[in-house]
Amino acid sequence: MRKIYLCVAALYLGIVASHAQTKALPVKDSSNYQARKLKIDEINIISAYYHQDGNNSAVTGGIGTEKLTDFANTFDLQLSKYGIGGNKHTFTFELGVDHYTSASSDKIDPYSISSASRQDTRVYPSLNWTVSNDKTGNAFGLTGSYSHEFDYQSFGGGINLTRVSKDKNTQFDFKGQVFLDTWKVILPVELRPPGYGSGSERDGRGNVDHSPRNSFSTSFSISQVLTTRLQALFIIEPSYQHGLLATKYQRDYFTDGSERVENLPGSRYKLPIAVRFNYFLDDHFVIRTFYRYYMDNWGIRAHTAELEIPIKLTSFVSVSPYYRYNNQKGTRYFAPYGQHDPTAVYYTSDYDLSTLHSNFVGANIRLSPPTGVFGWQHFNSLEIRAGHYMRSTGLNSNIVTLAMKFK
């Protein structure tokens, strides 16, 4: 099973209240403003294929295949209407469906025909409501969504706020989200107590424990137009997790020959701080740079730098090569296969948490002809993005993404 961090939300009352406004009959206010009907702004369809391979699976204690494939699809529908007073109400519905296969997950219970999520499908709908003012640029919104997979389900809520200066050169954005997860405590087959199930209903042994994992995240960002060519963005994103943060079907092996399930602290603080600069060289070139520093209370420290240079070949064709480098100091709880201290309280052999460096290189091609893609006026743009990822631990992956926008 993959580790997928889900953006899940559910502020039902706020969404219902805003939806009720869309049903109001057009009326005139004191300024003779006519409310408009709900209309479609745009539709986005995104499909991505991802494949990875390596030899440091955490399921088998830091050794073994990491082969995984994922086919992800997202459908995004954006509708809007102007309400009384001139504020714009935007409703965005998104439906995501991922299907993946994981060779390492098959090692949780190699003797079971179900083998706990060696392949699975994740479904995650969401709904966002944002009210904004076209004149000031200020906005406020709520988000709600749900996600379900073999071993968990998740609910939560989100809020977003935008404030723009009078001269339009400075913008402040705030986002707050809560993720309330419940997931099955699946154990490796040889470490299950008598009578403990596999987690699968298909083999009649679905009886397992369930544990919560709650996540709270915020994002504060300020963007500033520095000159006619240079723009800057500063972001800080503190977050906190609490609950079962260890993945209990991942094994750890110790210097005395013993074997246990992964054990990590029940809380985690994260603090990423990032800055982005966009420089508009001329009508054909933009230089985009990005740097992020990450730290948490598990001892992980990481630096990420990215460079992207969109090149406008014609008025409707652009190519954007990009490169990203990451250097990470791993958590103090990590040790490779068979090297954990038997007296340790917390331990993991998950190489995602180890000391490593990685490179990611790729390019994006975008078509946006004025007459529409393939002559279809409403087919606004077509993008194809491909990338290759290389990690010092031996993990390699490829991803291809197709994005279509209709307006």
Side-chain angles (χ1 to χ4, degrees), residues 264-265 267-271 293-302 327-334 352-355:
L264 290 168
S267 63
R268 188 180 185 184
Y269 298 92
K270 304 178 184 179
L271 184 62
Y293 175 73
Y294 170 90
M295 62 181 296
D296 65 26
N297 64 327
W298 289 5
I300 295 179
R301 303 290 183 269
N327 185 286
Q328 174 177 292
K329 175 188 174 184
T331 176
R332 54 183 167 271
Y333 309 126
F334 175 84
D352 288 346
L353 304 176
S354 72
T355 296

PDB file of all heavy atoms in Angstrom, residues 264-265 267-271 293-302 327-334 352-355:
ATOM      1  N   LEU A 264       6.817   4.389  15.634  1.00  0.00           N
ATOM      2  CA  LEU A 264       7.230   5.781  15.563  1.00  0.00           C
ATOM      3  C   LEU A 264       6.415   6.602  16.555  1.00  0.00           C
ATOM      4  O   LEU A 264       5.353   6.152  17.010  1.00  0.00           O
ATOM      5  CB  LEU A 264       7.020   6.322  14.141  1.00  0.00           C
ATOM      6  CG  LEU A 264       7.967   5.767  13.069  1.00  0.00           C
ATOM      7  CD1 LEU A 264       7.480   6.155  11.677  1.00  0.00           C
ATOM      8  CD2 LEU A 264       9.397   6.254  13.298  1.00  0.00           C
ATOM      9  N   PRO A 265       6.894   7.795  16.941  1.00  0.00           N
ATOM     10  CA  PRO A 265       6.137   8.617  17.899  1.00  0.00           C
ATOM     11  C   PRO A 265       4.721   8.893  17.420  1.00  0.00           C
ATOM     12  O   PRO A 265       4.437   8.896  16.219  1.00  0.00           O
ATOM     13  CB  PRO A 265       6.962   9.915  17.966  1.00  0.00           C
ATOM     14  CG  PRO A 265       8.347   9.507  17.586  1.00  0.00           C
ATOM     15  CD  PRO A 265       8.173   8.414  16.560  1.00  0.00           C
ATOM     16  N   SER A 267       3.129  11.692  17.583  1.00  0.00           N
ATOM     17  CA  SER A 267       2.898  13.074  17.177  1.00  0.00           C
ATOM     18  C   SER A 267       4.073  13.538  16.326  1.00  0.00           C
ATOM     19  O   SER A 267       5.198  13.044  16.456  1.00  0.00           O
ATOM     20  CB  SER A 267       2.729  13.987  18.392  1.00  0.00           C
ATOM     21  OG  SER A 267       3.919  14.018  19.161  1.00  0.00           O
ATOM     22  N   ARG A 268       3.788  14.524  15.464  1.00  0.00           N
ATOM     23  CA  ARG A 268       4.826  15.019  14.569  1.00  0.00           C
ATOM     24  C   ARG A 268       4.517  16.459  14.184  1.00  0.00           C
ATOM     25  O   ARG A 268       3.421  16.775  13.741  1.00  0.00           O
ATOM     26  CB  ARG A 268       4.905  14.151  13.312  1.00  0.00           C
ATOM     27  CG  ARG A 268       6.076  14.467  12.388  1.00  0.00           C
ATOM     28  CD  ARG A 268       6.059  13.546  11.189  1.00  0.00           C
ATOM     29  NE  ARG A 268       7.234  13.732  10.331  1.00  0.00           N
ATOM     30  CZ  ARG A 268       7.429  13.095   9.166  1.00  0.00           C
ATOM     31  NH1 ARG A 268       6.513  12.229   8.746  1.00  0.00           N
ATOM     32  NH2 ARG A 268       8.515  13.317   8.459  1.00  0.00           N
ATOM     33  N   TYR A 269       5.508  17.314  14.368  1.00  0.00           N
ATOM     34  CA  TYR A 269       5.417  18.707  13.940  1.00  0.00           C
ATOM     35  C   TYR A 269       6.253  18.882  12.674  1.00  0.00           C
ATOM     36  O   TYR A 269       7.381  18.382  12.593  1.00  0.00           O
ATOM     37  CB  TYR A 269       5.946  19.656  15.024  1.00  0.00           C
ATOM     38  CG  TYR A 269       5.178  19.607  16.319  1.00  0.00           C
ATOM     39  CD1 TYR A 269       5.558  18.746  17.351  1.00  0.00           C
ATOM     40  CD2 TYR A 269       4.073  20.443  16.530  1.00  0.00           C
ATOM     41  CE1 TYR A 269       4.858  18.701  18.549  1.00  0.00           C
ATOM     42  CE2 TYR A 269       3.373  20.410  17.723  1.00  0.00           C
ATOM     43  CZ  TYR A 269       3.765  19.542  18.729  1.00  0.00           C
ATOM     44  OH  TYR A 269       3.071  19.500  19.908  1.00  0.00           O
ATOM     45  N   LYS A 270       5.722  19.615  11.702  1.00  0.00           N
ATOM     46  CA  LYS A 270       6.448  19.872  10.455  1.00  0.00           C
ATOM     47  C   LYS A 270       6.466  21.372  10.183  1.00  0.00           C
ATOM     48  O   LYS A 270       5.482  22.067  10.431  1.00  0.00           O
ATOM     49  CB  LYS A 270       5.784  19.161   9.270  1.00  0.00           C
ATOM     50  CG  LYS A 270       5.628  17.664   9.433  1.00  0.00           C
ATOM     51  CD  LYS A 270       4.910  17.071   8.221  1.00  0.00           C
ATOM     52  CE  LYS A 270       4.653  15.585   8.381  1.00  0.00           C
ATOM     53  NZ  LYS A 270       3.938  15.028   7.193  1.00  0.00           N
ATOM     54  N   LEU A 271       7.582  21.860   9.647  1.00  0.00           N
ATOM     55  CA  LEU A 271       7.682  23.280   9.329  1.00  0.00           C
ATOM     56  C   LEU A 271       8.452  23.480   8.026  1.00  0.00           C
ATOM     57  O   LEU A 271       9.676  23.593   8.032  1.00  0.00           O
ATOM     58  CB  LEU A 271       8.368  24.047  10.463  1.00  0.00           C
ATOM     59  CG  LEU A 271       8.448  25.568  10.267  1.00  0.00           C
ATOM     60  CD1 LEU A 271       7.042  26.164  10.188  1.00  0.00           C
ATOM     61  CD2 LEU A 271       9.246  26.220  11.380  1.00  0.00           C
ATOM     62  N   TYR A 293      13.006  24.978   2.640  1.00  0.00           N
ATOM     63  CA  TYR A 293      13.684  24.328   3.759  1.00  0.00           C
ATOM     64  C   TYR A 293      12.628  23.638   4.604  1.00  0.00           C
ATOM     65  O   TYR A 293      11.581  24.223   4.918  1.00  0.00           O
ATOM     66  CB  TYR A 293      14.443  25.343   4.600  1.00  0.00           C
ATOM     67  CG  TYR A 293      15.070  24.727   5.837  1.00  0.00           C
ATOM     68  CD1 TYR A 293      16.191  23.911   5.738  1.00  0.00           C
ATOM     69  CD2 TYR A 293      14.523  24.955   7.104  1.00  0.00           C
ATOM     70  CE1 TYR A 293      16.756  23.335   6.863  1.00  0.00           C
ATOM     71  CE2 TYR A 293      15.078  24.391   8.233  1.00  0.00           C
ATOM     72  CZ  TYR A 293      16.193  23.577   8.117  1.00  0.00           C
ATOM     73  OH  TYR A 293      16.746  22.995   9.239  1.00  0.00           O
ATOM     74  N   TYR A 294      12.901  22.374   4.992  1.00  0.00           N
ATOM     75  CA  TYR A 294      11.936  21.579   5.758  1.00  0.00           C
ATOM     76  C   TYR A 294      12.596  21.075   7.031  1.00  0.00           C
ATOM     77  O   TYR A 294      13.757  20.630   7.026  1.00  0.00           O
ATOM     78  CB  TYR A 294      11.455  20.388   4.923  1.00  0.00           C
ATOM     79  CG  TYR A 294      10.637  19.381   5.706  1.00  0.00           C
ATOM     80  CD1 TYR A 294       9.258  19.499   5.798  1.00  0.00           C
ATOM     81  CD2 TYR A 294      11.254  18.318   6.371  1.00  0.00           C
ATOM     82  CE1 TYR A 294       8.503  18.592   6.522  1.00  0.00           C
ATOM     83  CE2 TYR A 294      10.517  17.402   7.096  1.00  0.00           C
ATOM     84  CZ  TYR A 294       9.138  17.541   7.180  1.00  0.00           C
ATOM     85  OH  TYR A 294       8.403  16.635   7.906  1.00  0.00           O
ATOM     86  N   MET A 295      11.822  21.089   8.126  1.00  0.00           N
ATOM     87  CA  MET A 295      12.288  20.515   9.385  1.00  0.00           C
ATOM     88  C   MET A 295      11.105  19.933  10.138  1.00  0.00           C
ATOM     89  O   MET A 295       9.962  20.358   9.959  1.00  0.00           O
ATOM     90  CB  MET A 295      12.980  21.583  10.242  1.00  0.00           C
ATOM     91  CG  MET A 295      12.086  22.738  10.656  1.00  0.00           C
ATOM     92  SD  MET A 295      12.925  23.993  11.648  1.00  0.00           S
ATOM     93  CE  MET A 295      13.322  23.029  13.113  1.00  0.00           C
ATOM     94  N   ASP A 296      11.377  18.907  10.964  1.00  0.00           N
ATOM     95  CA  ASP A 296      10.338  18.369  11.843  1.00  0.00           C
ATOM     96  C   ASP A 296      10.976  17.867  13.129  1.00  0.00           C
ATOM     97  O   ASP A 296      12.205  17.836  13.265  1.00  0.00           O
ATOM     98  CB  ASP A 296       9.518  17.277  11.139  1.00  0.00           C
ATOM     99  CG  ASP A 296      10.328  16.036  10.780  1.00  0.00           C
ATOM    100  OD1 ASP A 296      11.346  15.751  11.432  1.00  0.00           O
ATOM    101  OD2 ASP A 296       9.935  15.328   9.832  1.00  0.00           O
ATOM    102  N   ASN A 297      10.131  17.484  14.088  1.00  0.00           N
ATOM    103  CA  ASN A 297      10.647  17.070  15.391  1.00  0.00           C
ATOM    104  C   ASN A 297      11.110  15.616  15.413  1.00  0.00           C
ATOM    105  O   ASN A 297      11.506  15.112  16.460  1.00  0.00           O
ATOM    106  CB  ASN A 297       9.599  17.304  16.487  1.00  0.00           C
ATOM    107  CG  ASN A 297       8.361  16.456  16.315  1.00  0.00           C
ATOM    108  OD1 ASN A 297       7.951  16.148  15.181  1.00  0.00           O
ATOM    109  ND2 ASN A 297       7.747  16.044  17.414  1.00  0.00           N
ATOM    110  N   TRP A 298      11.101  14.929  14.263  1.00  0.00           N
ATOM    111  CA  TRP A 298      11.697  13.606  14.159  1.00  0.00           C
ATOM    112  C   TRP A 298      13.169  13.691  13.738  1.00  0.00           C
ATOM    113  O   TRP A 298      13.822  12.671  13.587  1.00  0.00           O
ATOM    114  CB  TRP A 298      10.937  12.750  13.160  1.00  0.00           C
ATOM    115  CG  TRP A 298       9.584  12.324  13.661  1.00  0.00           C
ATOM    116  CD1 TRP A 298       8.970  12.692  14.812  1.00  0.00           C
ATOM    117  CD2 TRP A 298       8.680  11.419  13.004  1.00  0.00           C
ATOM    118  NE1 TRP A 298       7.742  12.100  14.926  1.00  0.00           N
ATOM    119  CE2 TRP A 298       7.532  11.299  13.841  1.00  0.00           C
ATOM    120  CE3 TRP A 298       8.725  10.709  11.813  1.00  0.00           C
ATOM    121  CZ2 TRP A 298       6.454  10.492  13.495  1.00  0.00           C
ATOM    122  CZ3 TRP A 298       7.634   9.909  11.473  1.00  0.00           C
ATOM    123  CH2 TRP A 298       6.521   9.796  12.311  1.00  0.00           C
ATOM    124  N   GLY A 299      13.649  14.901  13.526  1.00  0.00           N
ATOM    125  CA  GLY A 299      15.044  15.088  13.173  1.00  0.00           C
ATOM    126  C   GLY A 299      15.321  15.216  11.692  1.00  0.00           C
ATOM    127  O   GLY A 299      16.478  15.331  11.280  1.00  0.00           O
ATOM    128  N   ILE A 300      14.282  15.218  10.853  1.00  0.00           N
ATOM    129  CA  ILE A 300      14.484  15.347   9.408  1.00  0.00           C
ATOM    130  C   ILE A 300      14.731  16.814   9.061  1.00  0.00           C
ATOM    131  O   ILE A 300      14.026  17.710   9.530  1.00  0.00           O
ATOM    132  CB  ILE A 300      13.281  14.804   8.625  1.00  0.00           C
ATOM    133  CG1 ILE A 300      13.146  13.287   8.847  1.00  0.00           C
ATOM    134  CG2 ILE A 300      13.418  15.100   7.136  1.00  0.00           C
ATOM    135  CD1 ILE A 300      11.968  12.661   8.132  1.00  0.00           C
ATOM    136  N   ARG A 301      15.746  17.046   8.226  1.00  0.00           N
ATOM    137  CA  ARG A 301      16.052  18.365   7.674  1.00  0.00           C
ATOM    138  C   ARG A 301      16.244  18.189   6.178  1.00  0.00           C
ATOM    139  O   ARG A 301      16.921  17.265   5.738  1.00  0.00           O
ATOM    140  CB  ARG A 301      17.321  18.949   8.299  1.00  0.00           C
ATOM    141  CG  ARG A 301      17.275  19.065   9.822  1.00  0.00           C
ATOM    142  CD  ARG A 301      16.294  20.142  10.263  1.00  0.00           C
ATOM    143  NE  ARG A 301      16.289  20.323  11.716  1.00  0.00           N
ATOM    144  CZ  ARG A 301      15.500  19.685  12.564  1.00  0.00           C
ATOM    145  NH1 ARG A 301      14.637  18.782  12.085  1.00  0.00           N
ATOM    146  NH2 ARG A 301      15.543  19.923  13.853  1.00  0.00           N
ATOM    147  N   ALA A 302      15.662  19.080   5.379  1.00  0.00           N
ATOM    148  CA  ALA A 302      15.743  18.907   3.927  1.00  0.00           C
ATOM    149  C   ALA A 302      15.806  20.250   3.221  1.00  0.00           C
ATOM    150  O   ALA A 302      15.194  21.239   3.658  1.00  0.00           O
ATOM    151  CB  ALA A 302      14.549  18.106   3.409  1.00  0.00           C
ATOM    152  N   ASN A 327      17.938  17.435  -1.009  1.00  0.00           N
ATOM    153  CA  ASN A 327      18.932  16.832  -0.112  1.00  0.00           C
ATOM    154  C   ASN A 327      18.315  16.715   1.265  1.00  0.00           C
ATOM    155  O   ASN A 327      17.835  17.711   1.823  1.00  0.00           O
ATOM    156  CB  ASN A 327      20.196  17.694  -0.074  1.00  0.00           C
ATOM    157  CG  ASN A 327      21.299  17.051   0.747  1.00  0.00           C
ATOM    158  OD1 ASN A 327      21.237  17.024   1.969  1.00  0.00           O
ATOM    159  ND2 ASN A 327      22.311  16.549   0.069  1.00  0.00           N
ATOM    160  N   GLN A 328      18.293  15.505   1.818  1.00  0.00           N
ATOM    161  CA  GLN A 328      17.583  15.256   3.072  1.00  0.00           C
ATOM    162  C   GLN A 328      18.462  14.554   4.096  1.00  0.00           C
ATOM    163  O   GLN A 328      19.128  13.568   3.785  1.00  0.00           O
ATOM    164  CB  GLN A 328      16.338  14.403   2.795  1.00  0.00           C
ATOM    165  CG  GLN A 328      15.588  13.949   4.046  1.00  0.00           C
ATOM    166  CD  GLN A 328      14.332  13.186   3.732  1.00  0.00           C
ATOM    167  OE1 GLN A 328      13.374  13.747   3.207  1.00  0.00           O
ATOM    168  NE2 GLN A 328      14.319  11.888   4.036  1.00  0.00           N
ATOM    169  N   LYS A 329      18.436  15.070   5.309  1.00  0.00           N
ATOM    170  CA  LYS A 329      19.024  14.381   6.455  1.00  0.00           C
ATOM    171  C   LYS A 329      17.907  13.591   7.119  1.00  0.00           C
ATOM    172  O   LYS A 329      16.866  14.140   7.483  1.00  0.00           O
ATOM    173  CB  LYS A 329      19.617  15.383   7.450  1.00  0.00           C
ATOM    174  CG  LYS A 329      20.135  14.728   8.720  1.00  0.00           C
ATOM    175  CD  LYS A 329      20.524  15.767   9.761  1.00  0.00           C
ATOM    176  CE  LYS A 329      20.901  15.101  11.087  1.00  0.00           C
ATOM    177  NZ  LYS A 329      21.184  16.110  12.148  1.00  0.00           N
ATOM    178  N   GLY A 330      18.114  12.279   7.281  1.00  0.00           N
ATOM    179  CA  GLY A 330      17.042  11.402   7.731  1.00  0.00           C
ATOM    180  C   GLY A 330      16.744  11.486   9.212  1.00  0.00           C
ATOM    181  O   GLY A 330      17.486  12.071  10.009  1.00  0.00           O
ATOM    182  N   THR A 331      15.630  10.866   9.602  1.00  0.00           N
ATOM    183  CA  THR A 331      15.224  10.831  10.995  1.00  0.00           C
ATOM    184  C   THR A 331      16.185   9.980  11.833  1.00  0.00           C
ATOM    185  O   THR A 331      16.797   9.034  11.334  1.00  0.00           O
ATOM    186  CB  THR A 331      13.793  10.266  11.131  1.00  0.00           C
ATOM    187  OG1 THR A 331      13.456  10.159  12.522  1.00  0.00           O
ATOM    188  CG2 THR A 331      13.678   8.887  10.509  1.00  0.00           C
ATOM    189  N   ARG A 332      16.277  10.308  13.108  1.00  0.00           N
ATOM    190  CA  ARG A 332      17.130   9.549  14.032  1.00  0.00           C
ATOM    191  C   ARG A 332      16.587   8.156  14.307  1.00  0.00           C
ATOM    192  O   ARG A 332      17.273   7.316  14.891  1.00  0.00           O
ATOM    193  CB  ARG A 332      17.293  10.316  15.338  1.00  0.00           C
ATOM    194  CG  ARG A 332      15.982  10.722  15.994  1.00  0.00           C
ATOM    195  CD  ARG A 332      16.246  11.559  17.248  1.00  0.00           C
ATOM    196  NE  ARG A 332      15.037  12.223  17.737  1.00  0.00           N
ATOM    197  CZ  ARG A 332      14.636  13.415  17.340  1.00  0.00           C
ATOM    198  NH1 ARG A 332      15.330  14.051  16.405  1.00  0.00           N
ATOM    199  NH2 ARG A 332      13.553  13.970  17.841  1.00  0.00           N
ATOM    200  N   TYR A 333      15.353   7.884  13.885  1.00  0.00           N
ATOM    201  CA  TYR A 333      14.753   6.574  14.134  1.00  0.00           C
ATOM    202  C   TYR A 333      15.043   5.577  13.016  1.00  0.00           C
ATOM    203  O   TYR A 333      14.675   4.409  13.126  1.00  0.00           O
ATOM    204  CB  TYR A 333      13.235   6.717  14.292  1.00  0.00           C
ATOM    205  CG  TYR A 333      12.826   7.777  15.284  1.00  0.00           C
ATOM    206  CD1 TYR A 333      11.937   8.793  14.914  1.00  0.00           C
ATOM    207  CD2 TYR A 333      13.345   7.785  16.582  1.00  0.00           C
ATOM    208  CE1 TYR A 333      11.561   9.783  15.813  1.00  0.00           C
ATOM    209  CE2 TYR A 333      12.974   8.771  17.493  1.00  0.00           C
ATOM    210  CZ  TYR A 333      12.092   9.771  17.097  1.00  0.00           C
ATOM    211  OH  TYR A 333      11.733  10.747  17.994  1.00  0.00           O
ATOM    212  N   PHE A 334      15.703   6.021  11.953  1.00  0.00           N
ATOM    213  CA  PHE A 334      15.948   5.146  10.805  1.00  0.00           C
ATOM    214  C   PHE A 334      17.221   4.321  10.976  1.00  0.00           C
ATOM    215  O   PHE A 334      18.240   4.794  11.476  1.00  0.00           O
ATOM    216  CB  PHE A 334      16.060   5.964   9.524  1.00  0.00           C
ATOM    217  CG  PHE A 334      16.439   5.124   8.324  1.00  0.00           C
ATOM    218  CD1 PHE A 334      15.486   4.422   7.609  1.00  0.00           C
ATOM    219  CD2 PHE A 334      17.779   5.005   7.947  1.00  0.00           C
ATOM    220  CE1 PHE A 334      15.834   3.630   6.528  1.00  0.00           C
ATOM    221  CE2 PHE A 334      18.142   4.222   6.858  1.00  0.00           C
ATOM    222  CZ  PHE A 334      17.165   3.529   6.151  1.00  0.00           C
ATOM    223  N   ASP A 352      12.093   6.441   2.801  1.00  0.00           N
ATOM    224  CA  ASP A 352      11.559   7.790   2.618  1.00  0.00           C
ATOM    225  C   ASP A 352      11.996   8.696   3.767  1.00  0.00           C
ATOM    226  O   ASP A 352      12.038   9.927   3.617  1.00  0.00           O
ATOM    227  CB  ASP A 352      10.039   7.767   2.558  1.00  0.00           C
ATOM    228  CG  ASP A 352       9.514   7.165   1.272  1.00  0.00           C
ATOM    229  OD1 ASP A 352      10.306   7.008   0.318  1.00  0.00           O
ATOM    230  OD2 ASP A 352       8.312   6.835   1.225  1.00  0.00           O
ATOM    231  N   LEU A 353      12.314   8.115   4.916  1.00  0.00           N
ATOM    232  CA  LEU A 353      12.708   8.866   6.108  1.00  0.00           C
ATOM    233  C   LEU A 353      14.214   8.831   6.344  1.00  0.00           C
ATOM    234  O   LEU A 353      14.693   9.260   7.387  1.00  0.00           O
ATOM    235  CB  LEU A 353      11.980   8.313   7.336  1.00  0.00           C
ATOM    236  CG  LEU A 353      10.443   8.273   7.258  1.00  0.00           C
ATOM    237  CD1 LEU A 353       9.868   7.618   8.512  1.00  0.00           C
ATOM    238  CD2 LEU A 353       9.871   9.672   7.077  1.00  0.00           C
ATOM    239  N   SER A 354      14.968   8.329   5.375  1.00  0.00           N
ATOM    240  CA  SER A 354      16.417   8.184   5.526  1.00  0.00           C
ATOM    241  C   SER A 354      17.162   9.394   4.984  1.00  0.00           C
ATOM    242  O   SER A 354      16.572  10.292   4.374  1.00  0.00           O
ATOM    243  CB  SER A 354      16.882   6.919   4.792  1.00  0.00           C
ATOM    244  OG  SER A 354      16.813   7.108   3.387  1.00  0.00           O
ATOM    245  N   THR A 355      18.467   9.412   5.203  1.00  0.00           N
ATOM    246  CA  THR A 355      19.321  10.416   4.583  1.00  0.00           C
ATOM    247  C   THR A 355      19.478  10.085   3.101  1.00  0.00           C
ATOM    248  O   THR A 355      19.831   8.956   2.747  1.00  0.00           O
ATOM    249  CB  THR A 355      20.698  10.454   5.257  1.00  0.00           C
ATOM    250  OG1 THR A 355      20.523  10.870   6.629  1.00  0.00           O
ATOM    251  CG2 THR A 355      21.627  11.430   4.567  1.00  0.00           C
TER     252      THR A 355
END
